[in-house]
Amino acid sequence: MAPIILVSSDVRIADGYSWHAVPETYLHAVAEGAGAIPLGLPALETDLEALLGRVDGVVLTGARSNVHPSAYGTPETEGHGPFDRRRDVADFRLINAALGRDLPLFCICRGMQELNVALGGTLANDIQTLPERADHRARPSESQDERYGLAHEIAITPAGALAKIVGADRIEVNSLHRQAIDRLAEGLAVEARAEDGTIEAVSVPGKRFVLGVQWHPEYWFASDPPSAALFRAFGEAARQ
């Protein structure tokens, strides 16, 4: 049977309601790229022990919102926003519960930042303003294909988990973020860096499949071989 994958949700306010929403790109990537059944998980106080025993993996999605700086000991400024505090709480619980069960966990963009913070790491804000850092923000365009276009290369750690999946030491990735890992959490291994030193991928050694990527493979899984390889490997881990 196809594995069942929980996909984290954003909380959005629209039409007078709070919506728990998942972008369709992630749902298609899980269904078609990983060969699994995606199941959106509301950012509620859920009985995770009961739930995680019935599923086969977890995807933490990217989002426009950022992890609230109080979660990693930094004072809040307007520049740190926007925020989704309900998602922060729900996803930190989800990460720790999934790790405790050794469920396959694929963390994308905000999801990778959540993984780092949940394990005790910190984030840097507006990295494009830091010395010798590149601008990793989305290209200004109304076209999603242009915004999500492949933007720069990353150097992949030799013999690491990511290298084994994509079969290369360098790949080109898309880049849509202004926050990034600052202090790496204990227990995470760096799997790739951008040319400016920004950490682009991490893993948790010793786990079945725990991988975080700072880019967006869900957008090009149908046409970009490294993106396809990531979702295929995640799906295989979930089936096992």
Side-chain angles (χ1 to χ4, degrees):
M1 295 190 298
I4 298 174
I5 304 299
L6 291 181
V7 185
S8 63
S9 295
D10 302 323
V11 180
R12 299 287 186 93
I13 306 300
D15 301 326
Y17 295 96
S18 292
W19 299 80
H20 294 245
V22 181
E24 190 176 45
T25 48
Y26 295 94
L27 302 177
H28 280 302
V30 169
E32 300 162 30
I37 300 170
L39 184 66
L41 177 64
L44 301 174
E45 188 75 19
T46 305
D47 184 347
L48 291 177
E49 286 306 308
L51 178 60
L52 294 183
R54 305 177 187 183
V55 301
D56 306 294
V58 174
V59 169
L60 301 180
T61 67
R64 184 171 178 269
S65 64
N66 294 317
V67 176
H68 195 274
S70 63
Y72 50 93
T74 298
E76 175 187 342
T77 69
E78 185 177 346
H80 284 99
F83 303 121
D84 186 344
R85 302 291 294 273
R86 294 171 70 183
R87 172 169 168 163
D88 289 350
V89 172
D91 282 6
F92 292 153
R93 292 182 62 241
L94 179 59
I95 288 166
N96 286 300
L99 290 173
R101 282 183 168 268
D102 198 14
L103 277 175
L105 179 60
F106 191 12
C107 309
I108 297 172
C109 197
R110 186 197 208 270
M112 186 180 93
Q113 296 171 9
E114 291 172 338
L115 175 65
N116 186 59
V117 173
L119 296 182
T122 64
L123 304 177
N125 191 52
D126 283 323
I127 60 170
Q128 72 277 359
T129 66
L130 301 179
E132 300 182 356
R133 289 291 192 100
D135 190 343
H136 291 253
R137 292 175 296 179
R139 296 165 178 163
S141 174
E142 294 184 3
S143 165
Q144 286 290 80
D145 283 358
E146 290 183 10
R147 293 185 71 248
Y148 281 84
L150 300 180
H152 64 81
E153 281 195 339
I154 59 171
I156 298 173
T157 302
L162 180 60
K164 293 174 183 176
I165 291 171
V166 301
D169 57 7
R170 301 185 74 86
I171 60 172
E172 197 171 9
V173 301
N174 47 15
S175 185
L176 290 86
H177 63 100
R178 60 185 179 87
Q179 290 193 318
I181 288 177
D182 186 10
R183 186 184 72 246
L184 185 70
E186 185 176 350
L188 289 181
V190 175
E191 294 288 340
R193 290 183 185 269
E195 188 174 338
D196 66 355
T198 298
I199 295 174
E200 290 281 342
V202 296
S203 68
V204 178
K207 293 296 185 180
R208 186 185 314 181
F209 184 108
V210 179
L211 187 67
V213 299
Q214 189 57 76
W215 67 95
H216 287 270
E218 80 285 350
Y219 198 85
W220 297 113
F221 78 92
S223 59
D224 176 58
S227 299
L230 284 167
F231 277 95
R232 187 165 55 247
F234 174 65
E236 290 171 356
R239 274 184 287 277
Q240 291 171 9

